[in-house]
Amino acid sequence: MLVGFEHADDAGVFKLSEQTALIQTVDFFTPMVDDPYLFGQIAAANALSDVYAMGGEPLTAMNIVCFPECLDVSVLQAIIRGGLAKIEEAGAVLVGGHTVDDQEPKYGLSVTGVIDPGKVVSNRGAKVGDLLYMTKPLGTGIVTTAIKGEMASEELIDLTVHSMSQLNKTARDVMMEVGVNAATDITGFGLLGHAMEMAAASQVQIELWAGKLPLLNGVEDLAVMGLIPAGAYANRDHLQGRVEVTGGVDRTRLDLMYSPETSGGLLMAVDPERSPELERVARNKAVGLTLIGQVKKAGSGHIRVARGE
Ligand code: CO
Ligand code: CO
């Protein structure tokens, strides 16, 4: 076992031979958009992401489905078609699955991937001085909350759905071509939760720059209106005592940093000497990449949020 569950990493990694390690992960959830095909795409992209966050290549996927008997089966077919489209885009194959009757629909995948055991990117390798980058804008949790309250514009919904259904495959390519010290993907625990897991696993203290964060265009207006998902408060409570906020940090930004993300981007810690190359390769491959902070010193998993402007 190369990576188990002791450091809250994205996936389990099990060494099969000197050349090959298995990456295994499972993820499923309830719909956050009305369109079943788009929901299938988003859930699959989210599940595949944990393999990419370890630097790996997805090979096979299995559907995990909860579906109410009273709903039309065409809805289920659309969800599964959406998922399959993303599995195929990832170059993986669907090998089966399981469906149970349940009040509320849920969908996701169990994914198996492979990686060279010497190239596994875990969340525990961040070093003092490393620069931190993220690859997708924040705010999906706030937008999906606004969708439920019918407060989100069509334009913002389109932008958000596009971001959530986008695979982290090319971001993984950039990361593996250049080489990074640690990575994870930003999902349910929000930017601060996943950054804290990286800081704790790496035994460092991380500083994040609130003013530098990439945000979905228009999401700040929704956050100001108080459209904050309940998960943001749960994440904040969970991180109590581990996050230090310095003066002048905008309250809305902080809410965005605590908010759960669906199928978010990768968070990478890279040696500052390699950062110009990381930026160059990301530009060439059209991967959005934003510098959002730095590993400041050894520690036990604390985050300092600074204004960064
Ligand atoms: Co993850
Ligand atoms: Co996950």
Side-chain angles (χ1 to χ4, degrees), residues 104-163:
E104 196 175 11
K106 298 173 192 78
Y107 173 67
L109 301 176
S110 164
V111 186
T112 299
V114 283
I115 189 166
D116 177 335
K119 292 186 175 158
V120 175
V121 183
S122 80
N123 66 357
R124 61 175 109 141
K127 305 217 166 17
V128 175
D130 280 2
L131 295 173
L132 297 164
Y133 287 89
M134 58 183 285
T135 65
K136 281 187 188 181
L138 285 180
T140 59
I142 284 167
V143 177
T144 54
T145 304
I147 291 174
K148 284 175 192 139
E150 294 181 2
M151 301 286 279
S153 68
E154 282 305 318
E155 204 183 338
L156 182 54
I157 294 173
D158 284 352
L159 195 68
T160 308
V161 166
H162 180 262
S163 177

Side-chain angles (χ1 to χ4, degrees), residues 9-11 25-28 46-47 49-50 185 187-188 194:
D9 218 319
D10 296 295
T25 179
V26 56
D27 244 305
F28 66 114
N46 182 73
S49 174
D50 279 326
D185 59 347
T187 53
H194 293 285

Side-chain angles (χ1 to χ4, degrees), residues 89-100:
E89 188 185 328
V93 287
L94 182 66
V95 292
H98 190 72
T99 305
V100 293

Side-chain angles (χ1 to χ4, degrees), residues 237-258:
D237 291 347
H238 179 69
L239 291 170
Q240 191 130 43
R242 288 178 168 266
V243 179
E244 177 203 348
V245 182
T246 62
V249 172
D250 183 64
R251 183 55 215 281
T252 310
R253 292 271 163 150
L254 208 54
D255 288 339
L256 276 151
M257 295 171 87
Y258 279 119

